[in-house]
Amino acid sequence: MTTCTLTKASSARIAGLTAAALLACTVPAVAATDATAAGTLAVEADALAVEKATDTDSLSIPRTRADGTLIAEAGGSRVELPAMGSGTFTVTDATGKQLRVGLPGSSAATARVTPNGTVVYSRPADSVDVAAQVGKDGSASALITMKDAAAPKEYRFALDLPGGARAVPDEDGGVLVLDGSDELVGTFQAPWAKDATGKPVPTSYRIEGGELVQGVHTDASTAYPVVADPKWWDKTKEIAGGMVSDTWNSMKCGGALAAAFHPGTASYKAIKAAGGVKKLLAVLSGVNSKRGAASALGSGFTTLFGVKSIKKACFDDLK
């Protein structure tokens, strides 16, 4: 079947068309069919690569709105995903705070949702495609699929943080978002990347000019496609394993400690001597008084107690 559209005038002259002209008319239809098929296969291949590297059992399936954007509500958060791969996803937590993350995909790649809930933004001609997943726990992931060795080795995610908030790298390679009082808004989990065989690919974050930059360090042995994942958790997810008591809040304390964990500072040395932020949180979760904290931390207690934000977040609620 041809896809050419004939006007009344051209229909009247159809008997005079040569076989070559008829063939030329049908070629675009074949090309269009091939392009559609190629696009479908590309989306399927990207979805397969992403879902092979992730746990699809815990995904929330977003619904598509009339304007092509998507929305999922899970774990007390609302996640809005864009209609195209160069758009922005927005996470709104239970308190109304919003985080926006720009996707480094193509404006020509439109969203398609797999039966498992993965949103894929794919173009066959590109060396890299973008996908997104929303967890039932309210987490949100932006996934990069590097299809071949021509794909860039760095990806920039523009961050639009809540008012007064800032992004701070943590000791495990992730990134914490802290508000103006050094309380934790949420975290970008330490990054990961996997090649087509499931082998881990070295990857890392840095914060640069208001952007989260993920570097993916492939080499000659890397099997493509490679899938890499920045994953956002809101503040309801514990960075210390769920240690919250009535008298001591690990989220506030963890955020304050992470904000003070900068090489060369006295607080950095004290936290490092205690085994790092998570180990220190574990120690503090086992005490219920300032005297107990002082005994557990030794000389480090004096140093940390002297840092106003740490004193307020970690010690002021202790007896």
Side-chain angles (χ1 to χ4, degrees):
M1 179 183 292
T2 178
T3 59
C4 296
T5 301
L6 300 176
T7 63
K8 289 182 180 180
S10 61
S11 298
R13 296 192 300 272
I14 194 167
L17 292 174
T18 65
L22 286 170
L23 180 61
C25 188
T26 60
V27 166
V30 174
T33 301
D34 288 348
T36 300
T40 300
L41 288 173
V43 171
E44 291 175 351
D46 279 357
L48 180 63
V50 168
E51 294 187 346
K52 180 181 175 182
T54 59
D55 175 17
T56 58
D57 291 339
S58 61
L59 296 185
S60 177
I61 299 177
R63 63 182 187 274
T64 304
R65 297 190 285 202
D67 61 358
T69 61
L70 303 100
I71 186 168
E73 295 177 346
S77 297
R78 184 176 75 251
V79 182
E80 298 172 73
L81 299 169
M84 60 189 66
S86 61
T88 299
F89 78 70
T90 303
V91 182
T92 306
D93 71 13
T95 70
K97 287 184 180 178
Q98 288 188 331
L99 170 95
R100 295 181 177 86
V101 180
L103 298 178
S106 169
S107 60
T110 55
R112 301 190 191 186
V113 185
T114 74
N116 291 320
T118 302
V119 181
V120 182
Y121 305 89
S122 180
R123 289 188 72 209
D126 294 344
S127 291
V128 60
D129 286 325
V130 176
Q133 293 178 334
V134 179
K136 293 177 181 177
D137 56 9
S139 61
S141 298
L143 299 119
I144 301 300
T145 301
M146 302 166 64
K147 294 188 278 191
D148 53 47
K153 302 300 187 286
E154 284 193 349
Y155 299 91
R156 292 177 174 271
F157 301 85
L159 299 180
D160 183 0
L161 306 178
R166 68 191 191 283
V168 179
D170 75 14
E171 62 183 294
D172 293 326
V175 171
L176 306 181
V177 174
L178 307 172
D179 67 14
S181 300
D182 283 339
E183 293 187 15
L184 191 65
V185 176
T187 69
F188 287 98
Q189 209 175 43
W192 60 261
K194 298 178 184 177
D195 76 1
T197 69
K199 184 180 73 174
V201 177
T203 181
S204 59
Y205 287 149
R206 70 177 189 274
I207 301 297
E208 184 176 290
E211 295 178 319
L212 176 69
V213 183
Q214 183 173 10
V216 184
H217 314 296
T218 57
D219 59 28
S221 70
T222 302
Y224 291 88
V226 172
V227 177
D229 174 36
K231 185 171 187 175
W232 169 257
W233 298 75
D234 73 24
K235 69 179 182 179
T236 64
K237 283 71 183 178
E238 291 292 346
I239 63 172
M243 299 178 302
V244 177
S245 70
D246 292 337
T247 58
W248 187 80
N249 188 317
S250 70
M251 296 302 290
K252 294 180 180 179
C253 182
L257 291 171
F261 197 69
H262 296 294
T265 63
S267 56
Y268 174 87
K269 294 175 183 176
I271 295 168
K272 189 172 182 180
V277 173
K278 289 188 177 181
K279 181 65 180 295
L280 181 50
L281 285 171
V283 171
L284 291 177
S285 70
V287 302
N288 59 10
S289 68
K290 293 184 178 68
R291 180 174 295 180
S295 176
L297 298 179
S299 61
F301 172 80
T302 303
T303 300
L304 297 176
F305 196 78
V307 179
K308 185 177 180 180
S309 60
I310 295 177
K311 176 181 177 297
K312 178 182 178 182
C314 301
F315 302 118
D316 278 2
D317 287 338
L318 298 179
K319 300 174 183 177

